[in-house]
């Protein structure tokens, strides 16, 4: 199950639900896991970049498998386009990171993930 945490500069009049839904859809499609397996959260944060306050976005994507260069590349391009479309954040201030966990390090109410 991919988990996506989106951190955005505080911005008025943004549609958080639409941003989360678009990035959820993109991640589900690109990983081949389907959107029903994706969890997304969005928060507003204060950012300093290049030593000054700045409008920024940081997207942290974590999952088990399907964290691969080609997939990450597509998700990066598409997710950054969504952020740029729905906010006033400049494209050069949008960053993503990807973390691939082993099944032994991902759990829920049933314990750790099984194969």
């Amino acid at each position: 199950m991919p988990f996506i945490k989106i951190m955005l500069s505080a911005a008025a009049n943004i549609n958080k639900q639409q941003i989360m839904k678009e990035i959820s859809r993109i991640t589900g499609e690109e990983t081949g896991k389907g959107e029903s397996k994706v969890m997304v959260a969005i928060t507003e944060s204060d950012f300093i970049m290049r030593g000054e306050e700045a409008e920024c976005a940081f997207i942290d994507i974590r999952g088990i498998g399907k964290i691969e260069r080609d997939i990450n590349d597509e998700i990066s391009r598409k997710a950054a386009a969504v952020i740029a479309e729905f906010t006033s954040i400049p494209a050069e201030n949008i960053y993503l990171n990807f973390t691939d966990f082993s099944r032994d390090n991902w759990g829920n109410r049933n314990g750790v993930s099984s194969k």
Side-chain angles (χ1 to χ4, degrees):
M1 175 178 122
F3 170 66
I4 305 160
K5 182 176 182 183
I6 304 165
M7 292 168 275
L8 301 173
S9 326
N13 301 322
I14 62 169
N15 188 332
K16 292 179 188 177
Q17 291 296 318
Q18 193 166 15
I19 292 170
M20 288 190 293
K21 286 178 181 181
E22 285 296 313
I23 293 178
S24 176
R25 180 188 58 75
I26 289 164
T27 304
E29 286 176 3
E30 294 300 328
T31 61
K33 293 186 177 211
E35 193 172 359
S36 67
K37 303 281 187 196
V38 179
M39 179 188 289
V40 183
I42 194 166
T43 61
E44 291 183 16
S45 299
D46 295 327
F47 285 87
I48 292 178
M49 188 168 191
R50 298 175 199 96
E52 298 180 1
E53 287 185 52
E55 290 191 22
C56 300
F58 186 81
I59 304 171
D60 182 17
I61 300 175
R62 301 167 182 227
I64 301 170
K66 299 296 183 176
I67 305 291
E68 304 165 3
R69 176 151 176 72
D70 292 342
I71 293 169
N72 299 351
D73 194 43
E74 285 301 311
I75 292 172
S76 294
R77 274 199 282 275
K78 292 176 180 179
V82 168
I83 298 298
E85 178 182 351
F86 293 108
T87 72
S88 59
I89 297 171
E92 64 270 13
N93 291 359
I94 302 170
Y95 286 87
L96 296 89
N97 76 350
F98 298 84
T99 306
D100 189 9
F101 289 91
S102 72
R103 291 186 180 282
D104 293 341
N105 292 319
W106 197 275
N108 64 18
R109 72 184 193 294
N110 298 320
V112 295
S113 293
S114 60
K115 291 185 178 183

